[in-house]
């Protein structure tokens, strides 16, 4: 079942801006990779010390710093001081129970997002991704080792539009990768729904109900992440910050349409799941009812017959029928007649 | 059952603007038909090469290019270069899982729509139709061979207002044809609902439930296409682009009213289907209940009688009643009396 | 059952502005009545030819043309030419599946409305009424002969404010009559609901359910007409057209309040009908349950007793009880005791 | 049950501004009381003739005219002429099926409200109260004798802020009294809900359901009055009329908060009632189910035993068991064993 | 069960601004603690007389006055006079059934909030907290002794940002503490929901239903407090008052995001609880149905067998079978065959 209940009690009572990592530790160690590039040049390396990722002196190069693993507040603190980030930004990066949002601090834009991907058991799991977009740099923070940004790295290596455009286009590419991830996740959910629907029409079991419930919770989880994501991308697209150039805005508009489409699909899934729940409930009660009906009818037919048999099992001395020659076959005839009449009646009433 | 779950996983990880056809291949081969016309002249032909559909040199003629079949990205790419379309436009045309939308690129307006028509089995199937409206041309892209735009072609041939007005009126005519298609589809759905309602009041079966479910999914599919369609036509009608002339705006306002009416009808259908589901469920349980009631009553009347018969079937040596002369008829009388009293009681309680 | 499903397939594929009558023919013949009036003078006549209803030469008189019956497009076409109406207006008048709306064409305002009145069988039936308000004339189109505008005609004859004020006040009076009609219709629906509620609390039957369903559909029909009606009157009241004078605006504000009240009542009815459905379903299952309970209890009490009787009906040679002197009365005592204990137990558990 | 269905058919077909009293006659006779006051002076009297309540000559005094009973249109007409009110205002005062609203006529503001109070049987009953606020006077119209404005009268007599401030503050005080009345009514409803909830958890009966239904209708009635009330007070508070002074606006803001709180409470009650309905339905079916289960189990245990007894009641000549010495006790043992095994099985399955 | 029904009938009929304490007396005695501080200095003391908490003469110090216990209106009245607060402010502080709101009086801002914390029995209980933010002071009013503001007091003592910034930052800190309290409360609710979900899937009982109902009411209570809280913080954040400085606004924006997150979590919980209710109801009826089914089947198999036994228990003189040598074993065979056929049939129909 997807985890919908959040924990952040460590935070209570702390002054704002206190750096505490809220959430599970999902990466073994913290890795910081830096890419410096322009249209002609690309230099990638892994750094260990924070002094290495100071803003590049050579102002013609763009910088992408990718931080994986958030369990060491010290690294964040160093980075915060070296780039001059507001303490609340650093606090939000570490608090992985954050709601997606965008904040414009003038010099830089801070974006928090959620990636939702199935884990090994097929459960949807949210991962918080934070981006800081500055004039010539993008810093991204991930909780997990999983290389979600691999496609962007490949495109960076193979040159092309990404290398020719600014830091805002790099940020767009990262966002685009995240939104594409939602399409994949939704496709997985959709496949499960199709299987479930077939099962539902063939032979519904209580397990079917639990799966519907499970998928419903998945859509709740997805919805909770995508609604604010839409607002974030909408705000970027409306060009509320000068850090986004006009050429990139067109791409963000396209991305905005994609998030709308994601929302739309989630809402459709919710509608479908409600419909499936209705179908489940009524087919369960249909089966139940037809079972009960047939069984009750069988019982009902034999009850009067048993009564007749009981009557002639009585031991009264004066029961003239008992000594009649054809009484026994006659009783059989009567009983057959009663049974036949009842079956015909039930048939006519369409109860059988 | 209408297909509500989308597939676009091919796209994941591709840079934006990559031309990949997403969706089923619905047309055998790609056909490109071109119509050049003004108030006095009409020239129609089929072209095979893209160089043939360059913007007309003779600037007094209007051009309508209709492309059927989308499985060859190369043709789109050529066209994109020759008209100077943004790569995202071409990508959106090929991705048939698009949500209806309108985008204004200054020189041209890009519109994506859905036609929803029943296929041979009566299932509703969406088809994506894209339109590009330029100052003196309209390019339309369809997935399927089905000649949905036949009425427009006929009107073009027969002359009249369509020939006298600009490219925007041609685009309007194509949109109008699509919205008319929704009315037809809705009429079909409405007829199915009427049949279903009659069936529901006469003799509901589990198949009735499945049909209700099916129609509900049809309305979900329709709704998902019409909501954004309304926004698209609303945006065109508000004259947000200079490519739409004032004379055409009146017609678009009329068209906007039609889409509102389509929405309205869909919402009414949804309301009606919910009502029908309620009726179904309660009539099923009504039937069930009345069956159970009658059967239980029959059983209940005979149980005490069988008990009486059982008592006098006991083999005690000292049972004075057994040797009474009139015991047997008396027992019959008692049993008849008990049965009669119970029937009267059940009648009075209105259980029978 | 009110007709909720619309038909307009004749329209598909026709160019916009094509004059086709969509809907049933509800009037035997087309009648055109003209009233020319000012504060001192009133002239009423019936005309047959359209040339007779040209705009009055004498510019001091106001004109009200009332057209009943829409099945002859030719008459509309003539009128359109003579007053210079836009083809779309004429198309909308003939298409009686229109949604209520107001359109301002500068010289004149075009208004489409629905009247919903019960027919002879008590079914609600919509009738489309179109109004065209010009500077000094009002033209009204009705589908049916029923003289819905009789009160306005009487007030016109008896003089008073209506004769002293402009064409806008006449249009207001017609609208007011239509909204008053909704109050009457709602009162009828309300009376049915009161009867139904009494029936529901006394003795609900499956027919009660069908009536609830029926009334629900009536409210759907009403709602679908009144929502857009409210927008129409709201737009008129906000003075979006110079054809409405300030003095009339006060009256329109009052009328707007009335439509809000109509909406409000419809919503209340919907709420009440949902509540009635809940009551119906739970009272049905309550009755059912109490029937089943009592019957099952009767059965349950006799089953152990019948078992006891069965035991002493066995034919074993060595059953010492059979030859005991007081065995038979003892068995009766035991059976009575068992029955009494069970009744007491059921009572205590409040199952009886 | 609160009266939710309105009657106003008398009005149909009447020209706007016609004075007809719509509603029940709730007061025996019409009483008109006048209070003239300023900070130092208070003069109260009852008048019978309308000429007596002309606007006060002495312009330093404020006037409050309170009219109880609306069944005589003549009095209203006189008052309308003497103060110069618009005919629609007078019509609205008499039509007690009005929706709460505020209308600004420049010289005076017209306010229609509903008071909802329980009558002697505890049923909620709406009463329409109309207020006309002029520059130096307030006229209030009530349907019923019940002295709802007694607290205001007392404060007027005891001096204080009310005597020092203008007519707008008097109008505010009357509105405040009405909103306070809603709190009282809601408290009564809340108390009924608490009793009902206890009953629901202890021993739900069909009467509980009817009470839930009843309370639900009460909240519908309250909601229908309070929603527009909130708009009315909101409009006054936003200072849309110059008749409201700045000092009073603060008090109106407070009053506005109170109406929000009333709304809020009503919505909470609705939520709670839905929850109670759910609880009711499932506890009814829980009880039912546990009854049926235990009874069916009892029946089921005895059915196989009765079968065994039946077998040895057969009269075949060659049934060796019948002559065995220990057959009878053995059969008893077998039957006991079967019963025990079944009870254990049912226990283990948690059916008992 | 959380208390959702409010009482404030004492207020009815009182003039606005009357100081009456509405609510339970939750604190034994009233304690007033005063803190005077700037970046270098902190002086804390408890005062008993109101004259002691006059605005500080030394204008460089900030003042925080915390009042616990509201049952003595006299203290409030004194404070009101000494700071010059509007009577409505004092009334609202004493009326603990207030809805969260913010009011700007120019010189000071008045804020009413709710804290919702579990009491000893784990029931959620609301406590009203009022804040008055002046240019250089903050006054806070609590109902209960519980030291909810302890973290703020500690931060004040330990120096840091709180000591260096203005009164608005102190107010922010208090608000932040309250919002953090909501996270704690929600975490507790979430833990209960997780336990409940496990119980629901393992072994649902009627107590499970009551707990779902209980948690639902908790979310209603929380929601009712958090919705207006969000508006309050939103209004502060939008800088609608000059008392909030720019530096603090950033922190308020962060706080606003937190309230959105609280709302979001509450809505998710509501969705989850609805889902749990569905699961509960259908698993109850599933269990029920499978019980009934198995039991009915057992009954049904034995009924025909008992009938057969009954037949050969009849006492007719001429029943040839009775004297057949192998009749008895044959009957056993027949009965076994019937039972086997029925079991196989039920199996094949998947009823067993």
């Amino acid at each position: 079942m997807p985890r919908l209940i959040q924990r952040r009690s460590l935070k209570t009572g702390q002054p704002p801006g206190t750096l505490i990592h809220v959430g599970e530790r999902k990466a073994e160690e913290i890795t910081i990779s830096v890419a410096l590039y322009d249209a002609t040049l690309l230099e990638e390396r892994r750094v260990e010390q924070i002094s290495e990722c100071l803003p590049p002196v050579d102002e013609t190069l763009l910088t992408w710093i990718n931080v994986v693993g958030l369990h060491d507040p010290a690294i964040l603190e160093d980075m915060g001081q070296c780039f001059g980030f507001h303490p609340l930004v650093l606090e939000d990066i570490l608090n992985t129970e954050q709601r997606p949002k965008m904040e414009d601090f003038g010099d830089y834009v801070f974006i928090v997002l959620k990636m939702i991907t199935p884990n090994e058991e097929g459960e949807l799991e949210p991962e918080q991704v934070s981006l800081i977009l500055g004039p010539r740099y993008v810093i991204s923070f991930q909780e997990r080792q999983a290389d979600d940004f691999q496609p962007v790295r490949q495109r960076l290596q193979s040159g092309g539009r990404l290398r020719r455009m600014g830091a805002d286009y790099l940020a767009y590419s990262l966002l685009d990768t995240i939104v594409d991830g939602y399409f994949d996740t939704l496709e997985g959910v959709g496949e499960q729904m199709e299987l479930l629907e077939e099962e539902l029409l063939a032979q519904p079991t209580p397990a079917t109900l639990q799966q519907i419930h499970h998928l419903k919770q998945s859509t709740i989880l997805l919805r909770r992440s995508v609604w604010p994501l839409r607002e974030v991308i909408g705000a970027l697209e409306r060009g509320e910050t000068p850090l986004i150039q006009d050429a990139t805005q067109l791409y963000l508009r396209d991305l905005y349409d994609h998030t709308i489409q994601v929302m739309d699909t989630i809402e459709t899934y919710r509608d479908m799941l409600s419909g499936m729940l209705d179908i489940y409930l009524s087919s369960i009660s249909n089966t139940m009812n037809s079972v009960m009906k047939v069984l009750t009818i069988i019982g009902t037919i034999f009850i009067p017959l048993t009564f007749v048999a009981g009557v002639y099992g009585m031991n009264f001395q004066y029961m003239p029928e008992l000594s009649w020659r054809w009484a026994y076959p006659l009783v059989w005839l009567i009983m057959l007649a009663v049974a036949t009449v009842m079956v015909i009646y039930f048939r006519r009433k369409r109860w059988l």
Side-chain angles (χ1 to χ4, degrees), chain A residues 37-39 62 64 151-157 159-174:
Chain A
Y37 69 95
D38 66 5
L62 297 167
W64 173 25
V152 177
R153 188 160 290 121
Q154 283 174 351
R155 262 184 274 155
L156 209 55
Q157 285 159 358
R161 197 189 295 122
L162 183 54
R163 289 272 287 280
R164 291 191 306 272
M165 295 186 75
D168 54 340
Y169 191 85
L170 174 60
Y172 153 73
S173 299
L174 296 173

Side-chain angles (χ1 to χ4, degrees), chain A residues 317-331:
Chain A
Q317 288 180 15
Y318 306 96
M319 285 176 72
E321 300 99 316
L322 292 183
S323 51
W324 292 354
R325 185 61 190 90
W326 299 106
Y328 178 58
L330 197 75
V331 160

Side-chain angles (χ1 to χ4, degrees), chain A residues 276-291:
Chain A
M276 282 161 80
L277 191 62
D278 286 351
I279 291 286
Y280 172 77
L281 291 176
S282 58
S283 68
I284 283 294
S285 79
N286 259 332
T287 312
M288 194 58 226
N289 282 352
S290 62
V291 170

Side-chain angles (χ1 to χ4, degrees), chain A residues 8-235:
Chain A
R8 41 157 280 167
S9 45
L10 286 168
K11 302 286 299 176
T12 313
Q14 297 291 341
T18 309
L19 297 188
I20 295 175
H21 178 229
V22 176
E24 301 162 50
R25 180 170 163 171
K26 291 179 186 156
E28 282 300 297
E29 48 176 338
I30 296 177
T31 58
I32 305 174
S33 54
V34 180
L36 293 159
Y37 69 95
D38 66 5
T40 55
L41 193 134
L42 171 68
E43 185 193 326
E44 285 182 287
R45 60 190 150 118
R46 288 208 163 195
V47 300
E48 304 243 330
Q49 282 185 297
I50 197 60
S51 56
E52 302 177 53
C53 59
L54 277 166
V57 188
D58 181 358
E59 279 298 309
T60 60
L61 290 181
L62 297 167
T63 312
W64 173 25
I65 304 173
N66 189 34
V67 181
V68 175
L70 300 173
H71 48 270
D72 186 357
I75 291 180
L76 259 283
E77 211 158 341
D78 289 7
M79 193 172 279
Q81 280 181 328
C82 119
F83 281 89
F85 296 140
H86 195 281
L88 287 173
V89 166
L90 304 174
E91 191 191 352
D92 284 349
I93 291 171
L94 286 180
N95 178 1
T96 61
E97 303 288 9
Q98 210 62 33
R99 196 173 176 263
K101 65 175 178 178
M102 185 207 92
E103 286 187 34
D104 185 357
F105 286 84
D107 293 344
Y108 56 93
V109 174
F110 173 54
I111 300 168
V112 182
L113 297 169
K114 294 275 173 194
M115 299 189 73
I116 294 180
T117 41
N119 62 10
E120 305 82 53
E121 293 99 53
E123 296 297 338
L124 296 190
E125 267 198 4
E127 182 199 347
Q128 181 158 312
V129 176
S130 313
L131 296 181
I132 298 176
L133 165 64
R136 300 196 61 76
Y137 62 87
V138 171
I139 311 179
S140 51
F141 300 88
Q142 288 175 273
E143 285 184 79
R144 259 191 309 225
Q145 209 57 261
D147 206 354
D148 308 308
F149 292 145
Q150 188 58 24
V152 177
R153 188 160 290 121
Q154 283 174 351
R155 262 184 274 155
L156 209 55
Q157 285 159 358
S158 64
R161 197 189 295 122
L162 183 54
R163 289 272 287 280
R164 291 191 306 272
M165 295 186 75
D168 54 340
Y169 191 85
L170 174 60
Y172 153 73
S173 299
L174 296 173
L175 291 173
D176 189 45
T177 308
I178 290 170
V179 173
D180 270 359
Y182 278 106
F183 279 110
D184 287 355
T185 302
L186 280 176
E187 210 171 303
V189 172
E191 269 158 27
Q192 286 182 53
M193 283 174 64
E194 278 179 350
L195 288 177
L196 205 56
E197 184 141 46
E198 273 170 37
E199 198 181 310
L200 192 62
L201 297 179
Q203 183 71 25
T205 63
T208 318
L209 176 65
Q210 290 218 357
Q211 266 178 290
I212 293 174
H213 180 58
H214 192 142
L215 284 173
K216 233 177 174 176
Q217 296 212 328
S218 297
T219 58
I220 293 177
L221 179 69
L222 283 163
R223 203 174 178 231
R224 194 159 72 165
S225 304
V226 179
W227 264 109
L229 173 65
R230 202 189 59 132
E231 287 166 35
V232 166
I233 295 176

